Amino acid sequence: MTGRLARGVRGVAVSAVALTIALFAAGCSAQDSAQDNASPDAPPRTSAGSTPPAPGKLSLSVTPEELRGADPCKLIGERVLAKFGKVEYDRGISYGQCDIQLDGPGDLSVSVFVDLQSGPSDVDAGDPAPTPVLRDGVTVYENESHGGLTGGKNCTRDVMLRERTAAVAIGVYGDESGTRACLIADTAADDVIRLLKSGDLPSARHAPDSLANLDACELIKKSEAARVPDIDPGEVHVDFTGQSCTWGGESIDQPNLYVLFEHLDEALEGRPLTVGGRTAAVQYNPAEDDSWLLGPALPTCSVDVEYGEAGPIVAGQTEVVSVGVTGNSSRQELCSLAQELAPKAMARLPKP
């Protein structure tokens, strides 16, 4: 859940937040391996107290490639959500994700997060694993929890396009009433299923030279990742859309290297510099014993480099490549490594 909540936050802990996004997006790989032990055709388990559904025979015609190119903010109809309150969209800072605020009735409001990912969402330690159920012939992983940073009730519904391959993750957080989160999540999941069954996904219309079409893992070689102390350069975590890649640990309190593609509507923060003739900035974030937002985190130093104009769904923003190094090393060593690797990554990108 941490990665979802971190989206859209830029400021005091920008590099740690960026890393959290990368790790959350790539985090489904661990659950994917558990899913590999089950037959893809086996009927899913059911929620407690529910009637076991008949095995689904539905085969969706939408491909994972088509889902990668879809506009996540249009996968759930605004009219569907409007019954729960005033709808406000925020495209966050990364392609493949959409943040939706629902205000009302009264002072009640919830946050709805949509992610394109490869499998069921990760959960916090101690929370129950998502339960697979069938909704209209489509497998949906369901989960609910309470408390945490948002307070109130949280519900997730992960609609599977292809098991262990592609999914639309829906999370509803901060329901203080305790009665709306799962109703909203179920309604949103039903609308996503309707759209997937229609086979007519709304395209994000990414520009041909956009970072949305590239794979962050292709920007760093294994030998280069091996320069980062205390990480296994062969341990690589990639998100479904290819917009983030992490080498080494899977949490922000473990040493790692990451590359993250972002789109921003504000100037870069940190010490200014130039990378390959492009505007860039270096930013260092010290260790956090227990950050109010992210929990314990090792020191991180990142180099953010402007790539080109974003659009058209985020027209007016700038695409940015962030290369960050996290670990127990000194500030000088972390930032030196980030500044060494950022030009190598940028050199492998096509000219925008």
Side-chain angles (χ1 to χ4, degrees), residues 201-223:
L201 292 186
S203 172
R205 300 180 293 115
H206 296 303
D209 58 356
S210 171
L211 291 175
N213 304 313
L214 303 178
D215 184 348
C217 287
E218 295 181 354
L219 302 191
I220 296 291
K221 294 182 178 180
K222 183 177 180 179
S223 59

Side-chain angles (χ1 to χ4, degrees), residues 56-115:
K57 300 294 185 181
L58 185 62
S59 179
L60 296 171
S61 62
V62 174
T63 67
E65 290 72 25
E66 289 172 330
L67 183 61
R68 288 188 185 98
D71 183 345
C73 282
K74 293 184 178 179
L75 294 180
I76 305 170
E78 183 173 355
R79 287 183 297 178
V80 170
L81 295 175
K83 68 180 72 174
F84 300 104
K86 181 182 177 182
V87 184
E88 182 179 350
Y89 290 89
D90 181 350
R91 293 186 178 276
I93 62 173
S94 183
Y95 294 120
Q97 303 169 335
C98 183
D99 301 349
I100 307 169
Q101 186 72 19
L102 288 179
D103 294 322
D107 295 330
L108 294 176
S109 64
V110 298
S111 297
V112 181
F113 297 137
V114 181
D115 288 279

Side-chain angles (χ1 to χ4, degrees), residues 268-282 303-306 321 342:
L268 298 179
E269 298 181 7
R271 177 171 58 83
L273 75 160
T274 301
V275 174
R278 301 174 185 272
T279 299
V282 180
V303 174
D304 298 337
V305 188
E306 292 185 356
V321 178

Side-chain angles (χ1 to χ4, degrees), residues 239-263:
D239 79 334
F240 171 72
T241 60
Q243 297 297 283
S244 69
C245 192
T246 307
W247 292 258
E250 289 191 86
S251 66
I252 58 177
D253 60 354
Q254 297 175 307
N256 51 66
L257 162 69
Y258 68 87
V259 175
L260 176 68
F261 298 157
E262 306 171 283
H263 48 77

Side-chain angles (χ1 to χ4, degrees), residues 123-134:
V123 296
D124 293 334
D127 286 345
T131 301
V133 302
L134 284 178

